[in-house]
Amino acid sequence: MTIEATYVPSPLDDTLPRNPVLRALRIGWSWLRRYPVIPFAVLVLMIVCAVFAEQLSPHDPLRGNLRAAFTPPIFMDGGTWEYPLGTDHQGRDILSRAIHGARVSTIISTAVILAGGIGGTVIGLVAGYRGGWVDQIAMRAVDFTLAMPFLLVALVVVVVFGQSLELIIVLLILFGWDNFARVVRAETLTLRESDYVSYARIQGASQARILFRHILPGVVGSVLVIGSLRVGSLILTESTLSFLGVGVPPDTPAWGIMTADGRQHLSRAWWISTMPGIAIFLVVMGFNFLGDWLRDWFDPRLRQLRVH
Amino acid sequence: MWRIIVNRLAFGVAIVLLITIVVFGLSRAAGDPRNIYLDEYATPEAWDAWGERMGLDKPLYVQYGVWLWDTLRGDFGESLYYDVPSIRLVRERVPNTLQLGGVAFGVAILIGVPLGVVSAVQRGSIVDYAVRGFALLGQSVPVFWIGIMMILVFSATLGWLPSSRNEGWNHFIMPAIALGWLPAAGLMRITRGAMLNILDSEYIKLARAKGVTAGKIVWVHGFRNAIIPPLTVAALIFAAFLTGTVVVETVFAWPGVGRLAVQSIKNNDFPVLSAIVILFSSFYIILNLIVDLLYALFDPRIRLD
């Protein structure tokens, strides 16, 4: 039997705009959606900055030169190549601080996504497969986590224990597993009833083997999608906490803290607050695109997921 | 329906209790709670009296009972910084927060929902792309940065709008936009998706075939059914508001509850912070409860399940 290739008119053919400029934009857009060039570039740039922060930064991110305080960025009058993005009120190089900020954000989001993703996936798998009281407890825990106002809880915890990187990571993990657990459980419920899982069970495969060899591969796609969509909101949350002064400790070069530093000097040196915000924006948008792309790649049914 | 109401109410109460346990636990986790409930000027008599009253020599669950009873009556302890009851500080600032939240909520709905509809109806047009870009921006830019950039442009550079405090209608413009943007973006995306699905359905085609006018199809036949999906993200929108209030009030020096929370962290004022966390969380949970019930009311599949 041969399968003949027939031309199926794509719905896109009709919806392409007549206006040539719009048409080019639309085609460029769909090309960017098909191949996530920009998100990958942002992702790679961020990881390179995080890993090689010391080698890449032209200056020490923590030590300033007061004589060079408030140097504007290179494209303005008075800017120098010495400080391409300018300096802050203490004469610290903003580029070096932004590069180190990528490290802080990468450490936090990697730790939280790994722990929350693995924990949530295991809970979802077990809850969906075992059902009964295990499932009940797991889903109640998910409901509780969803209903808790994260920021408020974080404020009390930080005021009692003080600021630290580890504390923020633990807090974000505690509030970051529920999404994974919910989706994985729902998919496990379906996969559990499928024929190939029944065969595995009849053949005498152990429960762990069924879960991790037979069901897990079926849910990995969704886990990746949720994970990449979570990274953006995690970076936003972390920078918000740092901005409010309850995130990482105040002398850390983190993007949220840098933005807060520049608030008092807005009319004199707008670049102090502006530059780290642009970094956050690029990274978060990159991850949002990556998540959208992964979602379309793995499963268009997940389309409703991204609402932050 | 009654079972749903009772169920949701029980869940709401359980969540509030859980939050009180967390706050109580934290107040005891730091060693002697008097270190965070009394300041360094407390006399030894006051120190002993507080311990006596809160039952510090008794087991933890008794302490929790005493503390919870005080909390339920609105006694969260005296502010360490202002030396007045914490609840009074919070009460003074609630109107400002509710005003700002209300205006921002209006902004979010009035911008998010109509733009979502227009963007779905004119799919693929410049308007659609502009609206989606607006939503993407709102979801990728931190709220505090939007606020600071608005201050930079409209206050520091152009001098058009005031950058802080609550002293008249023009003080609302920037904070309300900063606070409403992210929820508007979420609403817009959901409304657009829902409208796209509905405009593709059979009954809309039938209405078209019958010759119903385009405006009536969109706003009467389509829109009425597109209202339910936005309700499902209401919880997420409230969460965005909760976080956003704290951030926006801090950026715009808005005399509300969120700013008080951040200030009390800087002042190490645990009684005030605990009052805000418990009251704010309860408010948030009640809002979510109402949305759940509305959702059940609107959607017979949930009501009759």
Side-chain angles (χ1 to χ4, degrees):
Chain A
M1 193 173 80
T2 55
I3 297 167
E4 258 177 72
T6 48
Y7 175 70
V8 182
S10 150
L12 207 70
D13 295 350
D14 306 330
T15 56
L16 271 183
R18 300 250 179 274
N19 183 323
V21 179
L22 273 184
R23 202 182 173 87
L25 277 177
R26 178 65 189 263
I27 292 171
W29 174 259
S30 51
W31 196 81
L32 279 181
R33 278 189 77 95
R34 193 167 311 162
Y35 310 102
V37 187
I38 299 174
F40 267 120
V42 171
L43 185 69
V44 169
L45 185 69
M46 180 165 168
I47 291 173
V48 168
C49 283
V51 175
F52 299 104
E54 268 89 27
Q55 289 79 359
L56 286 172
S57 320
H59 298 273
D60 186 333
L62 299 176
R63 287 250 303 276
N65 172 8
L66 276 180
R67 240 181 283 167
F70 297 116
T71 308
I74 181 70
F75 49 83
M76 284 175 67
D77 284 345
T80 60
W81 278 112
E82 175 97 23
Y83 304 106
L85 295 183
T87 61
D88 65 6
H89 57 294
Q90 293 185 29
R92 294 174 297 194
D93 178 34
I94 289 179
L95 177 64
S96 308
R97 287 176 70 73
I99 291 173
H100 277 80
R103 168 175 286 181
V104 174
S105 289
T106 307
I107 291 175
I108 293 177
S109 42
T110 312
V112 175
I113 288 291
L114 278 182
I118 294 174
T121 305
V122 170
I123 292 174
L125 279 174
V126 174
Y129 190 73
R130 292 288 297 270
W133 61 271
V134 181
D135 189 29
Q136 284 287 323
I137 291 179
M139 285 307 103
R140 279 288 104 150
V142 166
D143 287 344
F144 273 109
T145 315
L146 267 176
M148 284 278 237
F150 168 74
L151 182 78
L152 296 177
V153 176
L155 294 184
V156 214
V157 173
V158 169
V159 86
V160 171
F161 291 113
Q163 288 162 274
S164 75
L165 185 66
E166 293 80 7
L167 185 65
I168 287 306
I169 292 177
V170 170
L171 270 175
L172 287 170
I173 291 173
L174 283 178
F175 281 88
W177 61 278
D178 51 328
N179 221 335
F180 293 96
R182 216 157 34 104
V183 175
V184 168
R185 170 188 174 266
E187 302 208 336
T188 307
L189 282 179
T190 331
L191 290 179
R192 187 178 68 172
E193 306 303 328
S194 63
D195 289 341
Y196 75 90
V197 171
S198 304
Y199 290 142
R201 204 178 299 133
I202 291 164
Q203 283 194 328
S206 70
Q207 221 168 73
R209 193 182 163 82
I210 291 177
L211 276 182
F212 291 104
R213 287 301 298 274
H214 297 289
I215 295 183
L216 181 63
V219 302
V220 153
S222 314
V223 171
L224 286 180
V225 173
I226 300 169
S228 60
L229 289 176
R230 284 292 300 191
V231 176
S233 63
L234 263 178
I235 290 175
L236 282 179
T237 309
E238 176 267 316
S239 64
T240 301
L241 290 175
S242 300
F243 173 81
L244 291 174
V246 292
V248 292
D251 48 351
T252 320
W255 292 334
I257 289 178
M258 293 171 67
T259 314
D261 281 346
R263 270 183 69 204
Q264 272 84 41
H265 313 286
L266 265 190
S267 44
R268 183 169 179 197
W270 56 267
W271 53 89
I272 306 177
S273 285
T274 310
M275 299 301 176
I278 293 175
I280 300 173
F281 167 62
L282 288 178
V283 168
V284 173
M285 198 167 67
F287 275 103
N288 283 348
F289 271 118
L290 187 69
D292 280 355
W293 180 78
L294 281 172
R295 183 194 56 199
D296 292 347
W297 183 263
F298 282 114
D299 188 359
R301 277 174 310 167
L302 289 167
R303 197 145 283 176
Q304 295 287 332
L305 263 181
R306 189 171 116 217
V307 272
H308 282 308
Chain B
M1 189 69 197
W2 278 108
R3 231 190 59 212
I4 294 177
I5 295 178
V6 171
N7 241 325
R8 301 308 301 174
L9 268 178
F11 181 69
V13 171
I15 289 271
V16 173
L17 277 180
L18 187 67
I19 288 167
T20 62
I21 291 174
V22 168
V23 172
F24 173 79
L26 285 168
S27 77
R28 298 304 190 261
D32 193 328
R34 283 175 287 204
N35 289 326
I36 50 176
Y37 271 105
L38 300 172
D39 56 20
E40 62 265 43
Y41 306 113
T43 59
E45 291 81 41
W47 186 270
D48 291 340
W50 200 90
E52 180 92 17
R53 204 174 77 75
M54 300 306 281
L56 288 192
D57 51 343
K58 302 209 172 66
L60 264 182
Y61 63 88
V62 178
Q63 294 184 30
Y64 173 67
V66 175
W67 178 89
L68 186 65
W69 179 237
D70 275 357
T71 301
L72 289 179
R73 288 179 305 152
D75 180 3
F76 295 91
E78 277 216 343
S79 160
L80 303 185
Y81 192 78
Y82 297 100
D83 290 323
V84 295
S86 306
I87 185 79
R88 202 201 299 167
L89 286 174
V90 178
R91 207 186 301 140
E92 280 166 9
R93 284 162 178 79
V94 162
N96 283 320
T97 296
L98 286 184
Q99 282 170 22
L100 179 59
V103 175
F105 195 65
V107 167
I109 290 182
L110 290 180
I111 290 179
V113 175
L115 283 188
V117 172
V118 170
S119 158
V121 173
Q122 307 195 16
R123 184 184 189 176
S125 68
I126 297 185
V127 181
D128 185 22
Y129 281 98
V131 169
R132 285 161 72 189
F134 167 85
L136 185 72
L137 208 63
Q139 288 181 322
S140 306
V141 173
V143 174
F144 59 85
W145 195 67
I146 292 182
I148 291 178
M149 288 302 110
M150 284 201 287
I151 291 179
L152 177 62
V153 175
F154 297 109
S155 299
T157 310
L158 298 171
W160 288 352
L161 291 168
S163 67
S164 61
R165 295 188 298 279
N166 176 11
E167 289 160 0
W169 64 270
N170 57 345
H171 287 254
F172 277 88
I173 298 175
M174 290 200 296
I177 291 175
L179 185 54
W181 196 331
L182 176 60
L187 275 176
M188 194 239 98
R189 286 180 67 111
I190 290 288
T191 311
R192 179 177 184 274
M195 264 320 258
L196 281 179
N197 276 339
I198 285 168
L199 290 180
D200 207 32
S201 65
E202 295 297 323
Y203 79 92
I204 292 288
K205 282 179 199 151
L206 177 70
R208 283 217 177 96
K210 271 168 53 182
V212 180
T213 58
K216 207 175 169 198
I217 287 179
V218 170
W219 293 106
V220 177
H221 296 253
F223 183 63
R224 270 169 64 178
N225 283 298
I227 288 182
I228 292 179
L231 267 182
T232 59
V233 290
L236 292 159
I237 288 170
F238 290 145
F241 263 108
L242 196 74
T243 313
T245 312
V246 176
V247 173
V248 168
E249 287 184 3
T250 304
V251 170
F252 291 98
W254 191 264
V257 183
R259 181 154 183 261
L260 182 65
V262 174
Q263 281 174 331
S264 53
I265 290 169
K266 303 225 159 91
N267 302 335
N268 263 321
D269 203 340
F270 186 81
V272 174
L273 189 64
S274 69
I276 295 175
V277 169
I278 290 172
L279 293 173
F280 240 41
S281 308
S282 311
F283 183 59
Y284 167 73
I285 286 157
I286 292 171
L287 281 181
N288 278 331
L289 198 76
I290 294 173
V291 171
D292 273 355
L293 295 179
L294 278 182
Y295 192 39
L297 203 67
F298 278 134
D299 194 335
R301 281 169 303 186
I302 296 177
R303 190 172 61 225
L304 302 173
D305 185 18

